[in-house]
Amino acid sequence: MSGLRVAVTAKQFGTAPVLADIAFELAAGERAALIGPSGIGKTTLLSLIAGLDSAFGGQITRPPGALAMVFQTPRLLPWRTLAQNITLAHPACTPGRARALLDAVGLAAAADLHPEKASLGMQRRAAMARALAVAPSLILMDEPLVSLDAASSARVQAVMVDVLDRSGATCLIATHDHGQALAVADRLLELGGSPARLVSDRRLPLSRQARGDPRARADLQARWFPAPS
Ligand SMILES: Nc1ncnc2c1ncn2[C@@H]1O[C@H](COP(=O)(O)OP(=O)(O)OP(=O)(O)O)[C@@H](O)[C@H]1O
Ligand SMILES: [Mg+2]
């Protein structure tokens, strides 16, 4: 199975250039974090990759198969329960499968809740379960942990890693949180400058299993992202 090939030569909004000369490939099953400060163009790049915006110069080749996008806001249908939101994602998703997916993200007891009764962290987990319902070959996630408190963030991060492990999909996760990037990705793609370009492309030296250890991650974070003195 092939992965993702991105070659964006130029993207602008009006006359303002936002992205320039961004080229990278992800192998099938590879997991990369797209990092960079707020406003640099992470969401813009994800939208191009998802095919939601075709007004750009360059070419993007997605792997064959389904695409799942997990947006920064969970975007669940408010008039449907969490379980119904998942069955609606794919015609072949039965209520039983939806419940199994909700169970996998720790939401078995919340299957019949409407999104407004669920916390943001629960809605994010439901959105991740929904992503799995389409059996995607490519998963794009936009700031999946932003605006969560520490406990909820840790829970959603653990669920996210589990969801990505189960899917085996090629993944690109936009985040401005280095610790989170180190916990979920095999590779860090960093955007910087104006218009934004790829300023670094680093493969993590530790295995996924080794990175499960918070001390190993903290050590890597201290070396790769030293706090400004
Ligand atoms: N639809 C739009 N029209 C005009 N400008 C836009 C549009 N969407 C984004 N921009 C601009 O493009 C730049 C990149 O925005 P983008 O949302 O991609 O950044 P980001 O890295 O995702 O930021 P954050 O971390 O805050 O989510 C910003 O300057 C933003 O104002
Ligand atoms: Mg964004």
Side-chain angles (χ1 to χ4, degrees):
M1 198 170 70
S2 49
L4 171 70
R5 190 175 305 157
V6 174
V8 174
T9 51
K11 168 65 189 170
Q12 53 190 58
F13 288 115
T15 55
V18 177
L19 306 175
D21 297 324
I22 294 176
F24 62 91
E25 286 184 35
L26 299 186
E30 195 170 17
R31 231 182 259 174
L34 183 64
I35 59 175
S38 183
I40 197 78
K42 302 181 296 296
T43 299
T44 302
L45 183 57
L46 286 189
S47 301
L48 304 188
I49 295 170
L52 299 171
D53 180 353
S54 55
F56 68 99
Q59 195 168 13
I60 292 172
T61 308
R62 291 191 295 268
L67 160 79
M69 174 98 180
V70 179
F71 295 94
Q72 186 167 334
T73 50
R75 298 204 184 176
L76 301 168
L77 297 175
W79 60 91
R80 300 286 189 170
T81 64
L82 298 186
Q84 288 166 342
N85 265 278
I86 290 164
T87 50
L88 283 167
H90 196 276
C93 186
T94 61
R97 166 99 175 119
R99 277 167 201 275
L101 290 171
L102 284 172
D103 192 24
V105 297
L107 288 176
D112 297 321
L113 288 186
H114 283 80
E116 67 188 19
K117 299 269 167 57
S119 69
L120 178 61
M122 291 165 78
Q123 292 183 38
R124 288 253 172 83
R125 284 186 274 145
M128 289 175 188
R130 180 174 61 180
L132 282 182
V134 305
S137 58
L138 176 65
I139 300 181
L140 305 173
M141 291 192 180
D142 197 359
E143 299 282 1
L145 304 182
V146 79
S147 313
L148 298 176
D149 64 37
S152 185
S153 175
R155 177 102 200 254
V156 178
Q157 178 171 294
V159 163
M160 175 166 65
V161 169
D162 185 52
V163 160
L164 297 180
D165 283 345
R166 282 167 190 264
S167 76
T170 309
C171 306
L172 185 61
I173 302 138
T175 178
H176 56 257
D177 180 327
H178 296 145
Q180 180 195 333
L182 293 170
V184 300
D186 306 316
R187 185 173 159 191
L188 302 190
L189 300 168
E190 185 176 6
L191 294 182
S194 179
R197 298 164 195 274
L198 266 190
V199 294
S200 69
D201 176 355
R202 294 189 278 189
R203 223 169 276 277
L204 300 201
L206 303 172
S207 68
R208 285 182 185 174
Q209 197 182 7
R211 272 180 282 124
D213 176 1
R215 278 171 311 180
R217 290 204 305 272
D219 178 53
L220 195 55
Q221 185 164 353
R223 281 192 285 135
W224 279 20
F225 303 105
S229 50

